[in-house]
Amino acid sequence: AFYREYFRDKGIFENRVYEGVEDMLRVLHADGKSIILGTSKPEEFAIRILEHFGLRKYFTVVAGASMDSSRSKKGDVIAYAISLCESFDKYTAVMVGDREHDIIGAKENGLKSIGVLYGYGDENELKTSGADYIVSSPIEVLSLIL
């Protein structure tokens, strides 16, 4: 409760966008890709963060955890994100994430995954959780997707 109270008013903006991420989002969006955010952050916080950093315009769907914790497991958040899509093809979709929860959640939903090393996780965590690909930069994500 304390974390959410602090995060809601101050902590929400105490972060930064990784170098190259906005360029990656811009290129994927311009190429007509649907970009869906499935985050363990509460959905209302995720939307505020995206708007604060000017990134909301790139996302077709923004889905996050519920404030009452009824939807907090990453696999459940991904399933919820998928349910919000008008059309979704799990055979062409890929989950991009930096932690084991992202990779495991992708597997639970039948998705391929790209583990990224420019986030909080490390290569061992991503390998152990079964990432289909592991990359070091947003430009490498682009090369795999495009």
Side-chain angles (χ1 to χ4, degrees):
F2 173 76
Y3 167 78
R4 286 206 174 160
E5 180 180 325
Y6 175 82
F7 193 79
R8 177 187 316 274
D9 299 323
K10 185 174 180 185
I12 190 169
F13 304 121
E14 292 178 343
N15 47 55
R16 64 178 178 80
V17 179
Y18 291 114
E19 185 177 332
V21 167
E22 184 169 7
D23 292 334
M24 174 189 66
L25 294 171
R26 185 181 308 109
V27 169
L28 291 171
H29 186 263
D31 194 56
K33 303 292 186 234
S34 292
I35 306 172
I36 301 158
L37 179 65
T39 179
S40 296
K41 287 182 177 55
E43 191 169 307
E44 70 178 69
F45 294 167
I47 292 168
R48 288 180 59 203
I49 292 167
L50 291 175
E51 289 172 349
H52 175 77
F53 289 104
L55 301 175
R56 177 63 182 97
K57 62 190 171 210
Y58 300 117
F59 291 87
T60 307
V61 169
V62 176
S66 59
M67 291 298 280
D68 66 1
S69 299
S70 62
R71 182 180 59 249
S72 60
K73 189 174 160 229
K74 192 60 172 259
D76 295 339
V77 172
I78 294 170
Y80 168 63
I82 291 168
S83 77
L84 297 176
C85 297
E86 288 184 23
S87 64
F88 186 85
D89 181 357
K90 71 178 183 178
Y91 300 106
T92 60
V94 62
M95 172 66 181
V96 178
D98 66 340
R99 298 303 308 266
E100 67 183 340
H101 308 291
D102 301 315
I103 307 308
I104 294 166
K107 289 185 173 307
E108 289 174 356
N109 286 279
L111 303 176
K112 294 275 188 193
S113 61
I114 300 173
V116 298
L117 297 174
Y118 53 85
Y120 289 101
D122 61 32
E123 188 167 9
N124 185 55
E125 175 182 346
L126 296 169
K127 279 183 180 177
T128 301
S129 58
D132 294 297
Y133 306 94
I134 298 176
V135 300
S136 299
S137 68
I139 194 76
E140 291 178 272
V141 173
L142 276 176
S143 69
L144 284 174
I145 293 175
L146 300 177

